Amino acid sequence: MATTNDHPGEQAAQDPIKLIGIRDSALSLDEVFQAVGDDAAGGTALFVGTVRNHDGGADVDELGYSCHPSAEAEMRRIAEKVAAEFPVRALAAVHRVGDLRVGDLAVVVAVSCPHRGEAFEACRKLIDDLKHEVPIWKHQRFSDGAEEWVGAC
């Protein structure tokens, strides 16, 4: 019997980046999840970032996301980096721009890998790097009338 790593399914896929996008309309969990489906993947990790009703002790009513024109290219660059570091079978990431309300989906990322541990690690690296490196900004509007710009994903 071949060792586990000898099977092609244990390796990264040739072209694992299936979906990268900046959207001005509602995000779909189903779209992202379906994009990372792969018969060789034993683990799929999905992260969903939603608009919460508070930040820094203040009530948030709504927020808006805006991005630099290079944001989608930066998302792809980060996805390529994650795919090179982990045995990614499929990867997807979408981020919303425009005005959002509490509870709306702001970002959805997913990674499938041969095993669950790799999928969790790759998914966490993907969302953490997107948050720190992609030029997307959040404009929060608080219940007390205050506003704040935050560099975030």
Side-chain angles (χ1 to χ4, degrees), residues 29 32-38 41-48 82 88-93 108-127:
L29 293 174
V32 173
F33 184 67
Q34 289 173 6
V36 297
D38 187 287
T44 299
L46 180 112
F47 173 82
V48 180
V82 170
V88 173
R89 300 297 307 169
L91 179 151
V108 182
V109 301
V111 178
S112 61
C113 292
H115 303 281
R116 70 179 177 274
E118 300 157 341
F120 279 126
E121 290 176 38
C123 190
R124 180 166 192 138
K125 175 118 177 101
L126 177 62
I127 189 60

Side-chain angles (χ1 to χ4, degrees), residues 32-61:
V32 173
F33 184 67
Q34 289 173 6
V36 297
D38 187 287
D39 288 344
T44 299
L46 180 112
F47 173 82
V48 180
T50 57
V51 177
R52 64 179 178 263
N53 68 358
H54 68 281
D55 188 37
D59 292 335
V60 173
D61 284 342

Side-chain angles (χ1 to χ4, degrees), residues 60-110:
V60 173
D61 284 342
E62 60 185 16
L63 56 81
Y65 282 103
S66 59
C67 69
H68 188 273
S70 68
E72 194 167 304
E74 285 300 301
M75 288 175 71
R76 179 166 296 280
R77 180 187 64 76
I78 291 165
E80 289 169 352
K81 186 171 70 169
V82 170
E85 188 175 332
F86 297 92
V88 173
R89 300 297 307 169
L91 179 151
V94 292
H95 199 293
R96 179 96 184 264
V97 292
D99 292 329
L100 286 79
R101 297 200 169 278
V102 170
D104 285 348
L105 304 183
V107 61
V108 182
V109 301

